Amino acid sequence: MGWFNRLKLVNKILSPVLISAALTLTVGLYGLSVSKEMTANLTEVYTNNMLSLEYLANMRHALMAHARAELRLLTVRDPDDVQAVGGRSTYYWGEYERWSKKYLPLATSTEEKAILPQLADKLTSYQEVTERTRRLLKNSKYDEAAALS
């Protein structure tokens, strides 16, 4: 410790400042590396989880709006109203398909992959019932269409 006592006052003040600066630089560089890693992790969470949830929510909304429009077709008789409701139904089915195409590449877990074929089967039967209902409505068989839906 005698060497420190022999130093000039300037060197005694400068040495802790330089040590503090080096320590600050080291901690700062470590913080930057951790923040880059955290950014990468958050990006992964967003693209793998949050984006999937957003697409699923949009798919659900479009499918519910489509089903509501199809149900509404049972209550309207005016040709202009039927055409307007049919247009909404077609629009929302297109929205469902658009969001579905965005979601499918993100479905990576085994559970999601197992559920997707079940969803496809249920959508096929949903579309078949919807088409049968529309044919019955087109032929003015309103009671049969209501019983089918």
Side-chain angles (χ1 to χ4, degrees):
M1 197 66 178
W3 63 269
F4 188 75
N5 290 333
R6 288 189 300 264
L7 288 176
K8 292 182 181 179
L9 182 61
V10 171
N11 292 338
K12 287 180 181 179
I13 292 173
L14 191 58
S15 59
V17 169
L18 290 176
I19 291 172
S20 297
L23 184 61
T24 301
L25 179 66
T26 304
V27 169
L29 291 175
Y30 176 74
L32 281 176
S33 70
V34 168
S35 73
K36 286 182 182 179
E37 185 179 322
M38 190 181 305
T39 300
N41 288 339
L42 288 174
T43 301
E44 182 179 337
V45 165
Y46 175 73
T47 55
N48 291 340
N49 297 344
M50 300 306 290
L51 207 53
S52 294
L53 291 175
E54 177 188 354
Y55 293 164
L56 282 172
N58 289 332
M59 286 168 58
R60 180 181 178 274
H61 174 263
L63 189 59
M64 296 305 292
H66 178 265
R68 184 178 182 276
E70 290 294 326
L71 189 61
R72 177 98 170 99
L73 279 174
L74 295 171
T75 64
V76 295
R77 301 290 183 260
D78 181 39
D80 292 336
D81 289 343
V82 169
Q83 186 175 2
V85 172
R88 278 197 305 273
S89 173
T90 303
Y91 168 77
Y92 282 115
W93 186 256
E95 285 293 295
Y96 173 81
E97 289 179 335
R98 182 171 72 91
W99 289 112
S100 178
K101 285 177 186 171
K102 286 184 174 186
Y103 169 72
L104 288 177
L106 298 177
T108 55
S109 73
T110 55
E111 186 178 355
E112 285 175 305
K113 288 179 181 178
I115 290 174
L116 286 175
Q118 296 172 9
L119 174 64
D121 291 342
K122 293 196 183 294
L123 282 176
T124 301
S125 64
Y126 170 75
Q127 287 176 310
E128 289 171 0
V129 169
T130 300
E131 285 303 313
R132 272 192 273 156
T133 304
R134 281 188 175 222
R135 280 195 304 271
L136 290 171
L137 289 173
K138 197 175 217 179
N139 295 328
S140 300
K141 298 180 180 179
Y142 302 114
D143 293 334
E144 290 178 42
L148 182 62
S149 66

